[in-house]
Structures are given as structure tokens and as C-alpha cells.
Amino acid sequence: ERHYSPIWPPAGVQNVKLYLYPDGQLLPNSYGGSQSSVSFNNDILDPNVTMDYLVNTEFRGALFDAKFRKNEIIFETPALLQNATLAGTPYAYLYYSSTAAGVCQYNMQVWEVRPNNLEKLVTRINWTDRYYTANQSKEKYVNGQSYSHIFSAGSRIRVKVTNLDNVPYYTNGYQTDYFLRTNPFMLPVLKQGTNRIFVSGNSRSYIELPLINFVIGINQISLEV
């Protein structure tokens, strides 16, 4: 669909904060439990692997799998009760810590998941900290890739946090990243480490999406919360 707006952001856009929960929920009210963080590994199976090697394998197949392992953690909203329009720039507010020394990376993919479980990549938020001291706790407000998209009623918004920002190259169903294919949007970090994201207390990480008409299927939760 094509729309025109004389102002930016378009009328009705509200920046909706969606908080990360340890059990994989993605909700507009913050997590209040005792678990402080979630984590994913950046697994470098061969410490001598080079970026040239990974690029030449197109980040797939047995040769790639023997050198590097993709890991991800997934967060998801309940079903939308009506169409919701994303228009603008997504953000992530990250409280993080890593065991990696020198550099660590957090890639966040925003997906639409239809009721039939087909998923489509919508946009991304990427952060590479190139001046990182191992085990240091830091925070960063990161802007993502500006985009517009209509999430259909009944769909869910899914956020994947991963050490490798690529997607499957489907031959049927939804196809994404025609140009990149299995190559990543952001080249990965070749440093072994465990990357933590803090989710509770005063260190609550969240994704912020510019949305119109965001209403999800939870009692008394909407933009007013």
C-alpha cells in the first residue's frame, strides 16, 4: 500500500516499548521477576577461522557449520487484535555484558509471524561494541533500520536476538533477503563469548517500535499502559 504524510512521523505513531521477558514474552509492561538476564553464545568453533573463509562459504553448509555456530534467543508478543502499522525508526535500549574481550555484537531482527506460523523479516537493529572490556556492564540506545510495514490482525511480533544476522533463503512461503541470500546483513564478530542482556530491575532492556493502532490480546494492555 502507498501512503502519503505531510508530517513525520505520520499522525498516530507512538513509540511502543516492548520489554524482553526471560520466558520469551515481548510485552509493553516491564518484567518484574527475579531473573536478571538472558544470554546467547557467540560460538567460534575454530579459533583460527577468518572472515574470508566464512564469506566464501556464504555462511551456510557443512564447511561453515564446522567453524561457526549461529545462536539466537526469541521474544514474541501475543496476537495483534487489529492491523498495526510500523512507520519510522525502531530502537533498542540495551543493558548488556559479555565475556568477550575487545568487541561484542548484538543483532536484533523484527519479524511478523502470521497465524499459520509463516514468518517474514521486517527490519533490524544492530549494535557492535568495538571498544569493549570483558565482563563490563554497559547500556546503549541503538537506532535500527527505518522501515514501514503493516502487521496484520492475528499476527505476532517476534524479535530474534542473534550472533549472526542472516535469514533462511526460502524457496516457497515468505522469501526474504533476495540479495543477501544466506549472507549476513552485518558481518559477525569472531570473538568467542557469552553475551548477556539484562531484563529486570533498573537494567530493563527493551525494543521500541514506532506503531499505529498497536493492540495485543492481553487483558487491559494497550498503548495506555
Side-chain angles (χ1 to χ4, degrees):
E1 299 183 17
R2 185 176 187 274
H3 297 269
Y4 168 81
S5 175
I7 59 171
W8 191 262
V13 168
Q14 294 192 352
N15 291 322
V16 179
K17 295 179 181 178
L18 296 172
Y19 292 89
L20 312 179
Y21 277 57
D23 61 359
Q25 295 186 88
L26 187 65
L27 298 175
N29 54 322
S30 58
Y31 169 70
S34 59
Q35 184 172 332
S36 63
S37 66
V38 294
S39 64
F40 63 98
N41 291 332
N42 190 45
D43 285 328
I44 313 302
L45 305 180
D46 179 356
N48 297 315
V49 69
T50 65
M51 193 64 70
D52 285 348
Y53 181 93
L54 299 183
V55 169
N56 289 335
T57 64
E58 291 191 341
F59 294 84
R60 62 176 174 175
L63 294 176
F64 168 76
D65 292 340
K67 305 289 185 180
F68 188 100
R69 180 182 294 121
K70 178 178 180 176
N71 295 303
E72 63 186 16
I73 46 179
I74 297 175
F75 307 90
E76 195 170 286
T77 68
L80 299 171
L81 298 184
Q82 59 190 37
N83 288 358
T85 300
L86 180 146
T89 305
Y91 292 87
Y93 198 25
L94 279 178
Y95 288 88
Y96 64 96
S97 177
S98 177
T99 61
V103 59
C104 62
Q105 185 179 80
Y106 294 80
N107 301 298
M108 290 144 281
Q109 302 173 332
V110 180
W111 298 72
E112 176 176 1
V113 185
R114 294 290 179 86
N116 59 5
N117 288 322
L118 284 177
E119 59 178 14
K120 177 177 176 59
L121 179 65
V122 176
T123 188
R124 297 168 153 100
I125 308 169
N126 305 90
W127 169 239
T128 303
D129 189 337
R130 301 186 183 278
Y131 304 96
Y132 184 74
T133 302
N135 299 309
Q136 180 183 13
S137 295
K138 297 181 70 175
E139 58 183 286
K140 180 69 177 180
Y141 193 57
V142 188
N143 61 295
Q145 301 297 312
S146 300
Y147 205 71
S148 60
H149 177 77
I150 298 175
F151 293 94
S152 299
S155 292
R156 304 180 303 278
I157 298 175
R158 176 178 291 172
V159 171
K160 298 180 182 180
V161 184
T162 178
N163 64 324
L164 183 64
D165 185 8
N166 66 356
V167 298
Y169 185 69
Y170 299 117
T171 55
N172 49 48
Y174 289 122
Q175 297 190 25
T176 53
D177 277 9
Y178 295 97
F179 177 75
L180 291 175
R181 293 171 61 89
T182 54
N183 291 291
F185 181 78
M186 185 73 62
L187 289 175
V189 166
L190 299 184
K191 285 275 190 178
Q192 178 68 37
T194 298
N195 298 331
R196 299 175 64 198
I197 300 176
F198 297 104
V199 296
S200 68
N202 293 324
S203 302
R204 294 188 177 102
S205 299
Y206 60 81
I207 302 294
E208 186 175 298
L209 300 179
L211 294 168
I212 302 172
N213 297 326
F214 174 76
V215 182
I216 55 177
I218 290 184
N219 291 339
Q220 298 179 341
I221 289 184
S222 67
L223 289 176
E224 285 72 35
V225 172

